[in-house]
Amino acid sequence: MNAQEYFQNELPKKLAADPASARSVGAVFQINITGEGGGSWTVDLKADPPTCKEGTGTADCTITMSNEDFVSIRQNPQASMQLFFQGRLKVQGNPMLATKLQKIL
């Protein structure tokens, strides 16, 4: 599943199924996925209910990676740290929030 499919279909379903868990993260994320199957999404986990909308917005944490790396992380969440240290996963803003995002992804 590429990033477009995930952020347009799967994540909104997860947020709707367990909004309290999503809101416990308490942050707004800007997710930028480059390459084929990519795009930009704002994931607002402060909103009631939490939302995932296509486009850019003001965020507490911005995460940028390729669609290929996104797929790798979906298959193996532990790969995120390796990609971060390789400079392939970029985090702007509060990097501790990025670790909390795995809770809902």
Side-chain angles (χ1 to χ4, degrees):
M1 172 181 307
N2 69 29
Q4 284 180 0
E5 294 165 337
Y6 181 78
F7 287 103
Q8 291 173 356
N9 300 312
E10 188 70 23
L11 185 58
K13 289 177 189 175
K14 283 185 173 186
L15 296 177
D18 192 2
S21 179
R23 288 198 71 222
S24 72
V25 175
V28 179
F29 295 90
Q30 175 64 50
I31 311 292
N32 301 315
I33 307 294
T34 62
E36 182 83 23
S40 295
W41 293 270
T42 301
V43 180
D44 187 346
L45 303 180
K46 291 181 182 178
D48 188 13
T51 61
C52 177
K53 296 181 181 178
E54 193 166 3
T56 60
T58 303
D60 302 309
C61 181
T62 300
I63 299 170
T64 304
M65 72 185 96
S66 71
N67 186 56
E68 179 182 328
D69 290 336
F70 175 78
V71 171
S72 294
I73 290 172
R74 294 274 305 135
Q75 294 171 348
N76 177 14
Q78 288 75 27
S80 60
M81 290 305 279
Q82 182 181 12
L83 293 170
F84 176 77
F85 287 117
Q86 291 174 350
R88 293 168 49 187
L89 185 153
K90 296 178 176 74
V91 178
Q92 294 177 314
N94 185 340
M96 292 307 294
L97 291 175
T99 62
K100 289 183 174 185
L101 186 60
Q102 285 187 351
K103 179 178 179 179
I104 63 150
L105 292 182

